[in-house]
Amino acid sequence: MIPQISTIDLYKLASGDVLSLQVYKFIGDIPGKKAYIQANLHGAEIVGNGVIQQLIEYLMTLDQSQLQGEIWLVPVCNPLGVNQRSHMFSTGRFDSYNGKNWNRIFWDYEQEVLDLTEFAKSQINDSPEAIRSNYLARIKQAWAKEHERINRPSSASLSHQYRYQLQSLCLDADYVIDIHSSSNQAIDYTFGFKERIASIKYLLLDYGILMDEYDGDAFDEAFLKPWLALEKELTNLGKEIKFDIESWTLELGAGMAMNPNSVATGFAGIKNYLAHKQMLSLPEEVTSSEVTLVSKHKINSYHAPTGGMVQSRLPLKTKVHPGDQIYQLLSFNKQGTAPELISVCAETQGIVFDVSTNQCVNQGEYVMDILDC
Amino acid sequence: MIPQISTIDLYKLASGDVLSLQVYKFIGDIPGKKAYIQANLHGAEIVGNGVIQQLIEYLMTLDQSQLQGEIWLVPVCNPLGVNQRSHMFSTGRFDSYNGKNWNRIFWDYEQEVLDLTEFAKSQINDSPEAIRSNYLARIKQAWAKEHERINRPSSASLSHQYRYQLQSLCLDADYVIDIHSSSNQAIDYTFGFKERIASIKYLLLDYGILMDEYDGDAFDEAFLKPWLALEKELTNLGKEIKFDIESWTLELGAGMAMNPNSVATGFAGIKNYLAHKQMLSLPEEVTSSEVTLVSKHKINSYHAPTGGMVQSRLPLKTKVHPGDQIYQLLSFNKQGTAPELISVCAETQGIVFDVSTNQCVNQGEYVMDILDC
Amino acid sequence: MIPQISTIDLYKLASGDVLSLQVYKFIGDIPGKKAYIQANLHGAEIVGNGVIQQLIEYLMTLDQSQLQGEIWLVPVCNPLGVNQRSHMFSTGRFDSYNGKNWNRIFWDYEQEVLDLTEFAKSQINDSPEAIRSNYLARIKQAWAKEHERINRPSSASLSHQYRYQLQSLCLDADYVIDIHSSSNQAIDYTFGFKERIASIKYLLLDYGILMDEYDGDAFDEAFLKPWLALEKELTNLGKEIKFDIESWTLELGAGMAMNPNSVATGFAGIKNYLAHKQMLSLPEEVTSSEVTLVSKHKINSYHAPTGGMVQSRLPLKTKVHPGDQIYQLLSFNKQGTAPELISVCAETQGIVFDVSTNQCVNQGEYVMDILDC
Amino acid sequence: MIPQISTIDLYKLASGDVLSLQVYKFIGDIPGKKAYIQANLHGAEIVGNGVIQQLIEYLMTLDQSQLQGEIWLVPVCNPLGVNQRSHMFSTGRFDSYNGKNWNRIFWDYEQEVLDLTEFAKSQINDSPEAIRSNYLARIKQAWAKEHERINRPSSASLSHQYRYQLQSLCLDADYVIDIHSSSNQAIDYTFGFKERIASIKYLLLDYGILMDEYDGDAFDEAFLKPWLALEKELTNLGKEIKFDIESWTLELGAGMAMNPNSVATGFAGIKNYLAHKQMLSLPEEVTSSEVTLVSKHKINSYHAPTGGMVQSRLPLKTKVHPGDQIYQLLSFNKQGTAPELISVCAETQGIVFDVSTNQCVNQGEYVMDILDC
């Protein structure tokens, strides 16, 4: 199966050069669902590009009859973030114009729909398919206004122009997968919504973090929240519907790194998930993993109590108990006394979930996360 | 009158050096209100330091009997932001650890108080002074928990530790003035709350921008919003109280610059305001200015519709009408065609309110604001 | 006259996007000299783009018969530098990978030619034209090795790959003009070589700074120094030749700004220079200006003796005498004492030549230049 | 043995805060040589702080009689570099004001001494001790002028003011050790001068890189080169002297990391070296290691031939032969074609010596070094 490859211009830089997206579309013989998969929204989080490259290679070995529906793949989906450097480090986590996290800029229809209850009422006698179609039409209508706004003389900020291009690719998708990694170094896990918990095991990752509160305007949230809101309204009206619309964020390993295990893990999980969703017909059976599910607020971050160098930090996945030393801080001073070695201990039990790449910390800089599980 | 000068350590850096605040406290013979005035929360916005230096010099010429209450002055109040450089430019607008705007990090009691209605009911028969005192006690109690949180092994992020030190200085203030400037180049104006509109004319600036929606966690909001919330609750209970508690943000001129006119304007306004509030007894009479008051949402930002160089932009304070050319964009390309000159026109009437220092723009970068007034 | 426009790829970024140069070539009816003019080698120094845009527009109004030889124009010649941002400021002065000034990276044949004396001897009986041609052939041969080096598996650093593309455009030029501005704010002037002093007056700028020592590997130096070295060798052999090969750097105004006067000045000077060189046949007469010529070492830089805010600094072009106050520094402290006002005075006479855009300085940061003239 | 601890102010920042050095001086009962050891000149290279902390702890266990001479220790010797951040990464390799590498800013007396031959002649009949003392007096005289220069109204740049404070601590030292690490990830090795090769084995590192050409103005060079120059002059005059003055740079592991093995290696080597120099009297015997010595020009750097993600790179210390694949580049494009996997092969034999931390590279970014040994 040969993908259709298209290029979409994002924005022109001051120099007159243009940064673009390239979309690889695999289109099956039989119409069906649309899966949208992107990687590298944060500049340092490159591992998903390897996953997408393996998906491209793999899908090219399949026959078009093995795919029902469409798979759209967008690697290096944030070129400004990917290419940004400070010295040799990738620092593309924030939009350098306004400091905003590149994954907190997205358009969430739920925040602007005013008459959702009324709309839900008007759909009460329709089929799920019809409701989906009617609601999507409304989303697209609102989106068209976004486009108008950008085309006025006052235009819009770079992040608004960027999100317009990116979200235009997936508003009508059924399954969205956004591949991230830690900016630092973490275990592999899936970020998901409790309302879609049933599918998480098909992504084959050992840990699942469930959003209990929203960060706001993240890519996965912006896609799924409008549908969850509609489901809730319909439920309030006595009509229990669960749309087969899902959104996942995979977190695979470390920033600035192409860890081959994380690439393999991500590839295997996505392939299996697409098979489970019956988009791919594969010889091998669909499998599932046992997933340790934990609420997001169970991630406890440790920041440096004073400035210094982090030593003897416990490695990723270590189990800890309250009171265990989790790292030591070598702290110098300019007050005429000897350097100090400060022992920092765990407040709760759990596992070492994420650790800072930089072991040199100003007071209040991030050192590590313990996942209370 | 000689100020008490005290130094407060903020945080230790990785090198073992400590960054601190220095607070200048002028304390009058007679007890009274407390005014808290700070400058340079954003690293590039240095002009308020000149205002504070003139206030220090001026207050030192007064007799202690001329001051009722206390004036606390904190120049260069964000040392990490002030000292941060990229090449020679001050880039201290965002916390470089998490990209957050340094003026969107503050603790707002209103967001955590759960039982405000109940509290208001319990105060219904008390005097305003007693209510103020009881409410402040509750704020301080909540604040003490913030302190406990920082002292746990997991500590807290640098911006949490910073805000703790900074806000501790003014939780019990009556009048808070936070002196900013544009990061770019703007006219002088006051940022204020419509609930305190009566006092704005004593700050002697020509323009007043009224917050119609909150940005969230800004310094001025974090200080005043809990009191506005309480006023509202009491009003709902039929008890109309306006506490003599106010919060103002002065915006004086341009970033990276010590414009002497802006310094003089800020100094004159604050002196007059303190006299109006009867903290200062001065020979000259209290005056007031005519202020053009405009809602914040009347500021229309223009972003570059494509990449290029900004030319022929109208200067600050120019009056414009819809359709007037406000700037031209010289846009190069790599497609083999000649450079373009794109004319950008005003969408509304108004005045040129703020212009970008940088005239080289990637698509979507900020160019200018028109204030529709 | 319609230019030939060609696009040259510079390098592919990690995202797969490519940054390019666009070259506008005006080719006269009659063969002749080649003038090469570029702008914006440092990211913040955008004013030359306006000059080149005016040159393009102007040359398009001429008839091909009015041009003898070729004029090559390259605006926004360093896209990576032009597009780089820190917050909204252009910080494209240094290659962020290795900290190198973008104008100290160029290939200077003089530094690798080993047998220049021998070569000069071999040319002793040739005409200047023949010598020029033979020497250029040698330069190109050495350059071809540079190309080979880049094409090895170990490749070469981004700045080496970049300079290869850029210098390939002008190795065989007769006149090179590189348009810069101050990164901060300066008067307009020409940077030149004392060996070519006779032509400087045709560029119509009031001040000329003569290199007395080389910075090393600057664009203008890399182009001209090999020819000056050959001239010197030939002179040593008793053969006095001055090749009609020149190199100039125009410095026009301030960084991040498109000052219309600086654009007009640059345009007028280059047009007149090309007419003087008989490349352009224009109705108006060639003119010349009186140029104040000063050696580069006569620029005295003032750095902040301590940290603080710069106030009351004398404006550009002010004449000063030794002992005159040139600026004041408002310096705060964390030692419990009042802020200081430090007066800084001129060490020599001269004029204010360049001033920092940022008036907030750490100890040792640049404040201003006095040109001793 | 208790160290004398002194604090030296480096510079005041714009905020009024001061950054300082803290020097730990261990002074033996018997006068003797002076060893000067510093760490963390480049902000990311923190491992040497751990070495110095272990030296402090260890020396405190010794008796003053076990030390002949003085050991001065300066951890976190570049506070501005140590504390600098971009996002959470340490980027303190370059002075952000001028882009200069913090280890290429130092004052090298050899470059300004004009009459070295004459001086050497004047010393021809003196003892080595007298010559050392006379030459050091001259160096200090020149240094005093540096101080005068800084104290003029025009002052000096931050890096000049910084180097003045830092080099003042070691001009009269006998042995200088500057502890670095790779900014990326490297094997442990010593950087040294071929003229002092005899001592390198006492530092106990497996590899020694010998400078065959100078980078210019590095800390180790600035200290030793004036002495090497004098030795050469004396040799030319027939007087062969080798001063017991040495300078070493230890390179221990990776940037942003406190690798415990690298700390232990550095500590053991320095302790043994000081014992070999008879400054420390220890119960254990002085040992030495077999060192693979290689010239610096044998380090071959590989830069990315195009933009992309680095995969399957050989790990540190792997032996390679010409033609072996050393890494693969996953390169995306915006031209409508599938991503490419580019295989990059070794040009020479050798070992993998240093690898980039960031596996996401723009064209021309650094990927790895092969040491041809």
Side-chain angles (χ1 to χ4, degrees), chain C residues 8 11 14 68 74 78 85-86 88 95 166 168 197 231 235 241 280 298 314 323 338 352:
Chain C
I8 294 156
Y11 28 68
Q68 184 165 1
V74 185
N78 179 4
R85 292 288 176 280
S86 177
M88 69 260 280
D95 179 342
L166 198 68
S168 289
I197 204 65
E231 287 179 3
T235 300
I241 288 184
L280 294 182
K298 293 281 193 179
L314 297 180
V352 178

Side-chain angles (χ1 to χ4, degrees), chain A residues 305-342:
Chain A
T306 189
M309 283 84 207
V310 174
Q311 291 185 155
S312 309
R313 186 175 53 194
L314 297 180
L316 283 175
K317 294 199 176 172
T318 311
K319 283 201 184 292
V320 301
H321 299 90
D324 288 357
Q325 176 181 301
I326 51 176
Y327 73 95
Q328 219 181 30
L329 199 61
L330 166 58
S331 182
F332 294 94
N333 68 82
K334 306 296 165 78
Q335 314 297 325
T337 63
E340 270 182 294
L341 276 174
I342 298 164

Side-chain angles (χ1 to χ4, degrees), chain B residues 121-133:
Chain B
K121 280 183 191 157
S122 77
Q123 307 288 309
I124 203 75
N125 297 317
D126 287 336
S127 70
E129 291 69 32
I131 300 176
R132 182 182 189 279
S133 165

